[in-house]
Amino acid sequence: MNLAELAEYVDEAARTATEIPQISDKTPLTVEDAYAVQALSMQRRYARGEKRIGIKMGLTSRAKMVQVGVSDVIWGRLTDAMREDEGGVVSMAKYVHPRVEPEIAFLMKKPLSGNVSALEAMAAVEAVAPALEIIDSRYKAFKFDVGDVIADNSSSSGFVLGTWHSPEIDLSNLGMVLSINGRPQEIGSSAAILGNPVRSLVAAARMVASAGEELKAGDIVLAGGATAAIPMAAGQSVLLEVETLGMIGFNIGE
Ligand code: OOG
Ligand code: MG
């Protein structure tokens, strides 16, 4: 398959929530080609009417790298269709084998791209919020190499945002507790995200620039999971508490 055919392959899997064999089973993709497939697959979504509303960073913590066996920081695009309601019901039917993970979100007030310092990055931030990302690799058994996962839009599939707070809050070491049905399952800190989530924003600015894009005012940037992700199942309630930033959650339906 050429890059456009691979884009259709991953896009159809995402659109129909159908699992597919790994691209690397046949020919592993280079990182460069994988980002080209991702960009082409996103063009297909935009053509269906979805709007790009930001980006997500992935594999920015040790816990995540270890869980999936890939140790490169990656990124993917977020669209309006991926947003799920805080406090709402997330339907399993839209997903293949979704997992949920605790994150921090940034809301941009100014454009940002290229090589920037942490100070410059924070000066472009309007607000910060607790976030839950629903990741859903389209590949069989949630297994992939770095090229597979990048081509599959870095497993982006859903996210929930909490209340926006002042960006003056020190994000470097906020406690994060992810509970399922009221029982804490993953306990961590925002420090797990590259030592400080702002470093993920710095990396985001650099990585979008290398794709010829920029973070725009109004964009959302997800900094990456602070802990391992938890498999979702119908009937569960998911709650994330982030120190200072508050609580968010959702229920899982069929
Ligand atoms: C890849 C996406 C990783 C994160 O926050 O680290 C990611 C995956 O785990 O499927 O979203
Ligand atoms: Mg994530």
Side-chain angles (χ1 to χ4, degrees):
M1 283 191 268
N2 63 30
L3 299 183
E5 287 163 345
L6 288 170
E8 182 177 354
Y9 178 66
V10 291
D11 178 53
E12 274 301 289
R15 191 180 68 77
T16 59
T18 310
E19 67 175 19
I20 50 173
Q22 288 70 10
I23 295 169
S24 59
D25 276 2
K26 295 205 173 101
T27 329
L29 284 171
T30 63
V31 165
E32 198 186 345
D33 282 353
Y35 278 113
V37 171
Q38 182 188 125
L40 289 167
S41 79
M42 295 310 293
Q43 292 305 329
R44 299 174 61 89
R45 286 190 192 234
Y46 304 148
R48 288 197 295 273
E50 288 183 42
K51 303 262 177 300
R52 175 199 170 286
I53 57 164
I55 74 154
K56 57 81 71 64
M57 298 297 289
L59 310 183
T60 50
S61 68
R62 286 283 308 154
K64 285 287 308 175
M65 290 181 187
V66 168
Q67 185 176 34
V68 299
V70 176
S71 48
D72 299 80
V73 172
I74 59 177
W75 68 286
R77 278 103 168 167
L78 302 175
T79 74
D80 57 346
M82 298 178 189
R83 187 152 180 186
E84 298 273 13
D85 290 335
E86 199 285 311
V89 177
V90 170
S91 162
M92 287 292 285
K94 280 170 66 180
Y95 300 95
V96 182
H97 37 212
R99 297 177 177 178
V100 61
E101 57 192 17
E103 305 218 2
I104 301 280
F106 295 98
L107 177 64
M108 306 307 294
K109 71 174 174 201
K110 288 192 216 148
L112 189 72
S113 80
N115 287 319
V116 296
S117 66
L119 219 58
E120 287 165 334
M122 284 314 292
V125 172
E126 171 82 30
V128 297
L132 285 163
E133 187 180 24
I134 299 166
I135 49 168
D136 192 26
S137 173
R138 268 51 65 157
Y139 299 111
K140 283 198 168 137
F142 221 112
K143 292 233 174 323
F144 42 72
D145 74 2
V146 65
D148 291 321
V149 66
I150 291 167
D152 183 30
N153 198 19
S154 297
S155 307
S156 308
S157 72
F159 65 93
V160 172
L161 299 175
T163 308
W164 293 109
H165 290 71
S166 161
E168 314 232 300
I169 292 168
D170 180 0
L171 296 178
S172 61
N173 187 16
L174 300 178
M176 300 172 80
V177 180
L178 179 59
S179 300
I180 305 291
N181 296 338
R183 292 213 175 92
Q185 299 284 302
E186 291 289 342
I187 298 169
S189 159
S190 58
I193 305 164
L194 293 176
N196 184 331
V198 71
R199 293 197 183 132
S200 180
L201 184 60
V202 167
R206 182 172 36 78
M207 292 176 95
V208 292
S210 68
E213 294 183 21
E214 60 173 15
L215 300 174
K216 301 177 178 57
D219 272 3
I220 290 155
V221 178
L222 294 180
T227 70
I230 300 179
M232 288 169 43
Q236 290 172 338
S237 68
V238 178
L239 186 73
L240 170 64
E241 269 180 87
V242 181
E243 186 180 352
T244 314
L245 301 183
M247 296 195 306
I248 58 170
F250 57 85
N251 293 311
I252 309 175
E254 298 291 330

